[in-house]
Amino acid sequence: MARVLVDVMLKPEILDPQGQAVQRALPRMGFDSVTNVRQGKRFELELADADPATLRATAEQMAEKLLANTVIEDFKVTVLPADSSENA
Amino acid sequence: MARVLVDVMLKPEILDPQGQAVQRALPRMGFDSVTNVRQGKRFELELADADPATLRATAEQMAEKLLANTVIEDFKVTVLPADSSENA
């Protein structure tokens, strides 16, 4: 069993109202140093495959078909080492 | 200006209906090797601070106060190198 992370973020040119809401809230809470916030999604997948190249290819297909809307979102696949218990 | 990532995931013992929905959809699309899916949030923050220790402390406070609900969610802060243009 192996673990793969898929991080999905809106493309830079796409408006991000969730990120803007956070960005506007932070200064009111005393965090004045924030200049930009973007919010995206993270998927942690556990797969039965073992080969890292296969894992990456499978995760990229999943991202393109289901996890991300590639018209407005970019995604990044990270294959975690087999013995890793942490989140990269 | 520096960039910080805050990844927020539901704690392992908390039910994740979003992740379950994805997990059930994937086999119907031909991805049979998926054994588990968890879905979380990723925040990309740009801050005016420069010192990595300050950045981490600030981001951890933001996560505890606004970005994560620490009753049901865990978070992880990643301070990106100043010259990094990629998403870790």
Side-chain angles (χ1 to χ4, degrees):
Chain A
M1 198 192 66
R3 293 174 66 229
V4 179
L5 300 175
V6 179
D7 293 304
V8 179
M9 301 296 294
L10 286 167
K11 289 180 190 283
E13 65 271 23
I14 305 293
L15 187 68
D16 176 7
Q18 284 185 304
Q20 286 185 341
V22 173
Q23 187 178 342
R24 288 172 191 172
L26 286 170
R28 291 199 298 268
M29 304 175 74
F31 300 106
D32 296 324
S33 61
V34 182
T35 56
N36 194 30
V37 179
R38 304 283 288 177
Q39 182 173 344
K41 289 178 283 189
R42 159 166 283 208
F43 297 91
E44 288 186 8
L45 308 164
E46 291 181 5
L47 301 175
D49 298 318
D51 175 53
T54 306
L55 287 169
R56 176 172 296 278
T58 303
E60 286 178 354
Q61 287 176 28
M62 290 179 188
E64 283 172 11
K65 290 188 180 174
L66 179 68
L67 306 179
N69 176 349
T70 55
V71 176
I72 58 169
E73 293 172 327
D74 293 322
F75 66 85
K76 179 171 174 290
V77 172
T78 308
V79 178
L80 298 182
D83 57 352
S84 167
S85 63
E86 66 161 352
N87 303 333
Chain B
M1 198 191 68
R3 294 174 66 229
V4 179
L5 300 175
V6 179
D7 293 305
V8 179
M9 301 297 295
L10 287 167
K11 290 179 190 282
E13 66 270 24
I14 304 291
L15 187 69
D16 176 7
Q18 285 185 304
Q20 286 186 341
V22 173
Q23 187 178 343
R24 288 170 191 174
L26 286 169
R28 292 199 297 269
M29 304 175 73
F31 299 106
D32 295 325
S33 60
V34 182
T35 56
N36 194 28
V37 179
R38 304 283 287 177
Q39 182 172 345
K41 289 178 284 188
R42 158 165 282 208
F43 298 91
E44 289 186 7
L45 307 165
E46 290 181 6
L47 301 175
D49 298 319
D51 175 52
T54 307
L55 286 169
R56 175 171 296 278
T58 303
E60 287 179 352
Q61 288 176 29
M62 290 178 188
E64 284 172 8
K65 290 188 180 174
L66 180 68
L67 306 179
N69 176 349
T70 55
V71 176
I72 58 169
E73 292 171 328
D74 293 322
F75 66 86
K76 178 170 175 292
V77 172
T78 308
V79 178
L80 298 183
D83 58 352
S84 168
S85 64
E86 66 160 352
N87 303 333

